[in-house]
Amino acid sequence: MEIEKMKLELSHLVESSVVNESVLMKLAPEGRFVPKETELWDYKQEFSPGKSAYLKLVKYVAGFYNTFGGYIVFGVEEIEKDQVFECCGIQSGNIDVQKLRRMVAQICGRAIDVSYCEFDVDLGSGDIRLGLLHIPKRPTDLHSVAMASDGHGEDGKLVFSKNSTFMRRLDECVRAETQYDFMFLMGSRDLGRDGPRRRRAKYIVNNLPSRSFICQNFVGRSEILQQLWAWLGDDLESVKVLAGEGGKGKTSIAYEFAALIAGSGNSEFDQVIWLTAKRKQFKARLNDYLENPSLNFSDYHSFLKTLCNAVGGMAEGEMEDAPPEYLKRQAREALNIIPTLLIVDDVDSTVPEDQKRILETVRAISNSGSKVLVTTRANITYSQDISISVPGLFGEEYSELVDQLAQRLEMKQFSAKDKGKLQLSSEGSPLYTESIFRLCKLGYGLGQALSDWKGGQGEAVRDAALRREIEALTIESRKVIFLLTIVGSCSISEIRDFLDLERTQVDDCITELGSLFLLQEAPIIENEPRYEVGRSISSLIQSHGEAFLPNQSRFEREIRERANAFELNRKGTKREEVAKAISQCNSLVREKNFDDADRTIKSILRRSKYARNPDLLLMLGKVSYFNPSAIPADAKRKFFDAFHAGQRKELLFDLWYETEKLDNSVAGAMEVCDYAIRDGKYTTTLWYRRAAESRLELSSTVSGFNRFVTLLVEAHENISRALRFSPVNYREELKDMSKEIVDSLWRRSEAHHEYEIAFRTLDNAVQAGDIRSSNFTRMGQALGNLRRQGENDLKVLEAIMKRRLDDLHEQGRSDLVGEIEDILSGIAQ
């Protein structure tokens, strides 16, 4: 079995678009399929129609098409891995080739003429139905296809991600990621006797600066390079913008991509032109700037002249008095004639108005044959569809950066834990990381290096990366960013609360700060964006004090006072996350945006570690309480959940009590009062009074005497306790309530002839200070009625009566004693 010979034969069949049984005979020359899959063919056991299956097939089609083309045979099962493949057959008609073609065109942005046929083949054991899918090879004059969108199957799993470019490598369909992968795809993709080989197509003229000045060692950025590679194949968009905060590596990415194209012999471009406005480059290893030897332009007019000279060969004399429109037309004509990849680096080094004019110009002069890649810190013109945001490195890419720096500087390798500390402090910025390494190389331990770098030692590099953007901010935007520096993340509603700004003003600030990449999004819910600033920006702002914001000290003091009021200054990661959600929720409630407030809390509660958080559950109830469209029962249920989760704040009992009252549930209100007193330990006048009022109101609705008495006795006890804690000016009102309770008890007891209960209730009232003569009179009447009912053993009650009279004697109330004795004497007769 000569695999390489078979590959050459299959390659000819692919290029000839052969789709018949001869292909199957080639793959199964002796009645058995060749026990190997290669760049040109693949076996599949079956095809089960479904979204996931079709998406996987689209990925395979793209991979074969980008590489050599090829065949997929359906109905072949792998019995032993890479050893035995046997026919198992397929069910007829499972693959809808028209559907497949439509999906390929939609996802890959290009129609690929795939063909599919089914054959009944006898390989020695009778006819078996097999399917054969032919994928043509991509023409050399067309760019490779990439996925235009994410592909999620019916189960939600990601089959492929947007901008991914797939290729065939041996028996696998893989994503192109390495420089070799891209250079291979740019070439003719010849399949020689010894396997895949690439033939250089041509030399591409370029004026790229020295790699050592831009970026000596380039690391990672596979996702961004994927996007740029996919962009080359997009005939609808000729401009791409790399935008992001200073120090994150925009220029390095642009350079690496340009160098890849320049060194590839790519047939799409005849030249690669590099233009930059960067006057000087900050070198972290020196902690200082170096002048840029290849400065090309400094404003809009110098940009046009340099551009025309670079792409069109116009001499300085020809451009001396030429108007801008003439130069733009000349540049456009040159780019139409000569396919060019133009890099315009560091546009934000010019003034804002020139930045806009430059970006508008490159959009006007570019075309499907010539592409323009722009780098800028300020994305003031283009949408997110055209702009690629450049974040810091993270994960394995950041780990690789640290390893390379350590090796280059001849330092020991860092542990995973130390790499995590470096990434957190540097925010993944290659420039910042190298700046910290400079301190380590000087003999600092990592802990000391990080500490000093956050202070004065890192100020120079932070100035280099960020100062230009910050100095351009309006006063309102400076206040927003300083607010975020002090309190951490805030939603738009919270920013309005803190700074007393209108919504439109906040929106303008967010737009300005976002265009300069000075904000990071930290949303809790999609509908209410949340923002924060990075550590480096925070350090830079705080180090410049009044120069950054006039009256900064006073502003900071006011913000901290409000932050304390809004409960944002909490310690601990978990408490901070909960506090942010609660603060955002409170702001949304104040704006009467109850739906987003509810979503804010629920989004945090969905995390298992917060599922029973009592503060969040309380807030959930609070949202329902203030929402006029919510029913009280919903809020009551949520307050009950918060209580059982351990919530004991008085706010819970206050809102819960008011909700029960709103729902006309007197019994519920009484129960909440008991919870507040017993479990919340709120033994105050307020809660005892509320408990008494609830019992008094409930007593008027019950028919049973025993229940009525129980409620009023408990109400009287509540009032008695309330009197112990009440201020002087509040006691008379409570005493009046107490009298009302006693009077009600007497009337109902007398009506039911329950005189002993009445007597003891009156006695409790007297002991509590209700020494009205009417109470003593009623006590005497109760004794007299008990005698008339035939009660003989009244010595205990008579002794109580005598003791109360003695108490009055001791209190110096002789006049009252005499009056009562006369009344009792009359009752006894």
Side-chain angles (χ1 to χ4, degrees):
M1 178 179 62
E2 297 184 41
I3 295 296
E4 295 304 324
K5 181 180 178 181
M6 288 187 63
K7 286 164 68 172
L8 285 173
E9 293 174 352
L10 261 293
S11 177
H12 291 310
L13 294 176
V14 169
E15 293 185 13
S16 301
S17 299
V18 175
V19 191
N20 57 34
E21 293 182 49
S22 65
V23 176
L24 299 174
M25 294 304 104
K26 286 284 185 185
L27 291 172
E30 299 175 0
R32 282 180 173 271
F33 278 95
V34 175
K36 186 177 180 66
E37 295 169 311
T38 73
E39 300 95 330
L40 285 163
W41 67 83
D42 206 324
Y43 302 130
K44 298 295 178 188
Q45 181 176 348
E46 59 183 354
F47 183 83
S48 302
K51 186 177 181 182
S52 295
Y54 272 105
L55 288 175
K56 289 176 183 177
L57 194 52
V58 169
K59 183 176 77 170
Y60 272 82
V61 168
F64 275 108
Y65 174 76
N66 283 335
T67 314
F68 303 111
Y71 294 100
I72 300 177
V73 183
F74 294 91
V76 180
E77 181 180 4
E78 186 175 23
I79 304 301
E80 294 181 28
K81 185 169 178 59
D82 297 330
Q83 295 293 323
V84 180
F85 290 81
E86 291 186 356
C87 289
C88 59
I90 60 169
Q91 291 185 358
S92 180
N94 271 359
I95 296 180
D96 183 343
V97 70
Q98 294 301 325
K99 177 178 180 179
L100 177 61
R101 286 173 179 164
R102 286 196 303 273
M103 291 184 68
V104 168
Q106 291 170 1
I107 295 171
C108 298
R110 187 182 305 166
I112 298 176
D113 188 19
V114 297
S115 300
Y116 177 73
C117 289
E118 294 179 355
F119 304 97
D120 291 322
V121 179
D122 185 357
L123 296 177
S125 56
D127 285 348
I128 294 180
R129 174 146 292 219
L130 299 177
L132 182 65
L133 180 69
H134 168 262
I135 305 104
K137 178 183 177 182
R138 171 175 57 91
T140 55
D141 60 344
L142 291 180
H143 191 73
S144 57
V145 296
M147 304 313 194
S149 60
D150 290 338
H152 292 277
E154 57 270 289
D155 56 0
K157 291 183 178 179
L158 185 68
V159 178
F160 50 76
S161 56
K162 183 179 179 180
N163 296 315
S164 294
T165 298
F166 289 97
M167 58 182 287
R168 193 77 181 165
R169 183 185 296 143
L170 299 179
D171 61 345
E172 293 183 304
C173 182
V174 299
R175 194 172 80 158
E177 292 186 332
T178 68
Q179 184 179 27
Y180 174 81
D181 292 339
F182 291 120
M183 292 182 71
F184 167 76
L185 291 174
M186 290 176 192
S188 58
R189 294 159 291 124
D190 291 328
L191 190 67
R193 180 76 185 174
D194 298 320
R197 58 190 175 87
R198 175 185 168 275
R199 183 174 64 247
R200 185 178 180 84
K202 63 180 180 181
Y203 174 76
I204 297 180
V205 176
N206 71 86
N207 69 336
L208 295 177
S210 169
R211 178 180 289 276
S212 62
F213 185 79
I214 301 294
C215 178
Q216 188 169 345
N217 296 96
F218 184 80
V219 174
R221 303 300 190 182
S222 61
E223 292 297 330
I224 294 178
L225 290 175
Q226 284 280 333
Q227 292 182 61
L228 291 174
W229 180 256
W231 164 61
L232 291 186
D234 185 354
D235 59 354
L236 297 177
E237 188 51 64
S238 55
V239 176
K240 209 71 172 175
V241 178
L242 290 176
E245 182 184 320
K248 294 294 172 68
K250 301 179 296 297
T251 298
S252 297
I253 296 170
Y255 183 89
E256 186 69 16
F257 183 66
L260 172 66
I261 300 300
S264 68
N266 185 287
S267 60
E268 296 177 48
F269 300 113
D270 290 338
Q271 61 181 357
V272 174
I273 302 297
W274 180 277
L275 302 181
T276 183
K278 189 172 290 184
R279 297 177 180 83
K280 51 188 179 180
Q281 180 98 354
F282 187 86
K283 293 297 181 182
R285 68 179 186 277
L286 304 174
N287 202 39
D288 203 354
Y289 291 90
L290 289 181
E291 291 297 323
N292 189 347
S294 57
L295 173 66
N296 301 115
F297 65 94
S298 57
D299 56 25
Y300 176 61
H301 293 288
S302 62
F303 166 73
L304 284 178
K305 291 179 180 180
T306 305
L307 175 64
C308 286
N309 178 258
V311 302
M314 292 181 67
E316 182 67 32
E318 296 179 75
M319 299 182 286
E320 189 64 38
D321 298 319
E325 294 305 316
Y326 172 77
L327 296 177
K328 287 167 64 175
R329 288 192 179 91
Q330 291 298 112
R332 184 177 64 187
E333 289 178 11
L335 292 176
N336 280 333
I337 296 170
I338 307 174
T340 302
L341 175 62
L342 173 64
I343 314 295
V344 185
D345 178 49
D346 210 45
V347 171
D348 54 287
S349 287
T350 62
V351 298
E353 185 57 32
D354 280 354
Q355 293 175 41
K356 292 180 180 179
R357 295 170 75 184
I358 290 170
L359 292 172
E360 290 167 358
T361 295
V362 298
R363 188 70 181 273
I365 65 174
S366 56
N367 55 71
S368 59
S370 290
K371 303 275 189 178
V372 184
L373 178 61
V374 179
T375 74
T376 180
R377 301 185 188 195
N379 184 23
I380 57 178
T381 301
Y382 288 135
S383 70
Q384 293 301 312
D385 293 334
I386 298 174
S387 173
I388 299 175
S389 180
V390 179
L393 290 165
F394 59 92
E396 292 183 5
E397 291 189 342
Y398 187 78
S399 177
E400 184 182 352
L401 170 69
V402 172
D403 289 343
Q404 281 200 13
L405 284 173
Q407 184 178 3
R408 179 155 58 90
L409 298 174
E410 298 180 346
M411 297 168 59
K412 68 180 182 70
Q413 294 294 314
F414 286 84
S415 67
K417 183 177 180 180
D418 286 343
K419 288 177 182 177
K421 293 178 181 178
L422 277 166
Q423 182 176 341
L424 185 63
S425 295
S426 69
E427 301 170 51
S429 163
L431 182 66
Y432 291 172
T433 302
E434 193 168 352
S435 177
I436 297 170
F437 264 72
R438 180 184 70 86
L439 297 180
C440 293
K441 187 65 176 175
L442 291 174
Y444 288 70
L446 179 60
Q448 187 63 43
L450 293 175
S451 177
D452 285 12
W453 188 84
K454 291 173 186 175
Q457 291 282 12
E459 189 167 328
V461 70
R462 286 191 291 271
D463 266 16
L466 301 168
R467 189 182 184 97
R468 188 195 309 166
E469 291 97 316
I470 290 175
E471 287 180 342
L473 296 176
T474 62
I475 288 295
E476 288 76 16
S477 291
R478 293 187 186 201
K479 286 182 177 181
V480 170
I481 205 167
F482 192 67
L483 164 68
L484 299 176
T485 296
I486 297 171
V487 304
S489 72
C490 284
S491 65
I492 289 179
S493 298
E494 290 167 335
I495 293 172
R496 291 182 60 193
D497 283 346
F498 271 108
L499 302 180
D500 296 324
L501 296 175
E502 295 296 325
R503 177 69 188 235
T504 54
Q505 292 177 292
V506 176
D507 289 345
D508 289 343
C509 292
I510 296 300
T511 300
E512 181 182 22
L513 294 169
S515 71
L516 295 171
F517 299 91
L518 296 175
L519 292 183
Q520 301 170 7
E521 289 202 29
I524 295 175
I525 58 170
E526 184 178 350
N527 288 7
E528 180 69 3
R530 195 173 188 86
Y531 300 97
E532 61 188 13
V533 295
R535 295 184 174 208
S536 299
I537 296 173
S538 178
S539 297
L540 183 63
I541 288 170
Q542 291 178 331
S543 67
H544 287 292
E546 301 290 324
F548 171 72
L549 186 67
N551 300 314
Q552 188 189 88
S553 298
R554 186 180 69 186
F555 180 75
E556 181 174 357
R557 186 169 60 252
E558 292 173 354
I559 291 299
R560 292 195 183 280
E561 288 174 357
R562 290 196 178 191
N564 288 328
F566 294 156
E567 295 186 316
L568 279 178
N569 283 344
R570 297 184 178 186
K571 304 297 182 184
T573 303
K574 289 186 178 181
R575 294 186 67 187
E576 283 179 4
E577 290 185 12
V578 171
K580 289 173 185 176
I582 290 174
S583 176
Q584 177 169 308
C585 181
N586 278 324
S587 294
L588 290 167
V589 167
R590 282 191 288 273
E591 292 184 352
K592 296 182 171 36
N593 188 350
F594 301 109
D595 290 341
D596 283 348
D598 187 73
R599 277 193 287 271
T600 296
I601 299 301
K602 286 180 177 177
S603 68
I604 300 295
L605 283 170
R606 277 194 287 270
R607 304 179 196 176
S608 58
K609 62 181 177 180
Y610 298 130
R612 297 297 296 164
N613 182 279
D615 290 335
L616 293 173
L617 292 171
L618 168 57
M619 285 304 300
L620 204 60
K622 180 179 177 179
V623 173
S624 292
Y625 172 79
F626 284 104
N627 186 355
S629 63
I631 59 174
D634 184 48
K636 287 161 61 172
R637 177 180 53 79
K638 291 172 180 175
F639 290 137
F640 184 79
D641 288 345
F643 176 75
H644 276 274
Q647 181 59 262
R648 294 297 183 268
K649 289 182 179 177
E650 191 166 13
L651 176 63
L652 167 71
F653 299 114
D654 272 329
L655 296 178
W656 194 0
Y657 173 80
E658 294 296 338
T659 305
E660 296 287 359
K661 295 284 287 182
L662 186 66
D663 200 32
N664 297 316
S665 175
V666 182
M670 182 185 74
E671 189 174 40
V672 172
C673 294
D674 291 343
Y675 286 149
I677 293 167
R678 184 187 67 239
D679 299 288
K681 312 301 181 188
Y682 294 109
T683 52
T684 61
T685 298
L686 173 66
W687 286 105
Y688 279 125
R689 174 179 174 162
R690 283 176 169 176
E693 289 174 338
S694 299
R695 284 179 162 84
L696 191 58
E697 184 177 356
L698 187 60
S699 70
S700 64
T701 65
V702 299
S703 56
F705 175 72
N706 291 336
R707 178 59 175 156
F708 172 82
V709 170
T710 299
L711 287 170
L712 286 196
V713 168
E714 290 174 351
H716 191 266
E717 182 180 346
N718 291 149
I719 287 296
S720 298
R721 291 181 180 275
L723 280 164
R724 298 179 192 175
F725 304 104
S726 64
V728 174
N729 60 351
Y730 194 52
R731 288 177 183 169
E732 289 305 316
E733 186 177 351
L734 292 173
K735 288 178 179 178
D736 289 341
M737 282 186 64
S738 175
K739 293 172 183 177
E740 179 185 348
I741 293 170
V742 171
D743 292 346
S744 295
L745 264 170
W746 167 254
R747 287 193 296 271
R748 183 69 72 91
S749 299
E750 188 177 39
H752 283 77
H753 308 295
E754 295 288 349
Y755 297 114
E756 183 172 355
I757 292 174
F759 181 91
R760 292 189 180 278
T761 301
L762 292 163
D763 180 52
N764 289 334
V766 169
Q767 290 185 74
D770 186 4
I771 54 174
R772 291 176 291 162
S773 59
S774 60
N775 284 343
F776 289 97
T777 301
R778 290 166 177 169
M779 289 173 74
Q781 289 175 344
L783 282 173
N785 287 324
L786 286 170
R787 288 193 189 99
R788 283 191 286 274
Q789 287 177 350
E791 295 290 340
N792 297 320
D793 190 13
L794 299 175
K795 292 180 180 179
V796 174
L797 300 183
E798 290 170 346
I800 290 173
M801 189 73 184
K802 183 176 184 305
R803 192 157 55 245
R804 298 296 168 254
L805 291 173
D806 291 341
D807 291 340
L808 289 175
H809 270 298
E810 292 177 6
Q811 295 171 18
R813 301 297 305 273
S814 302
D815 56 330
L816 186 57
V817 172
E819 180 184 344
I820 293 170
E821 286 178 338
D822 289 341
I823 294 171
L824 293 177
S825 176
I827 292 172
Q829 295 175 2

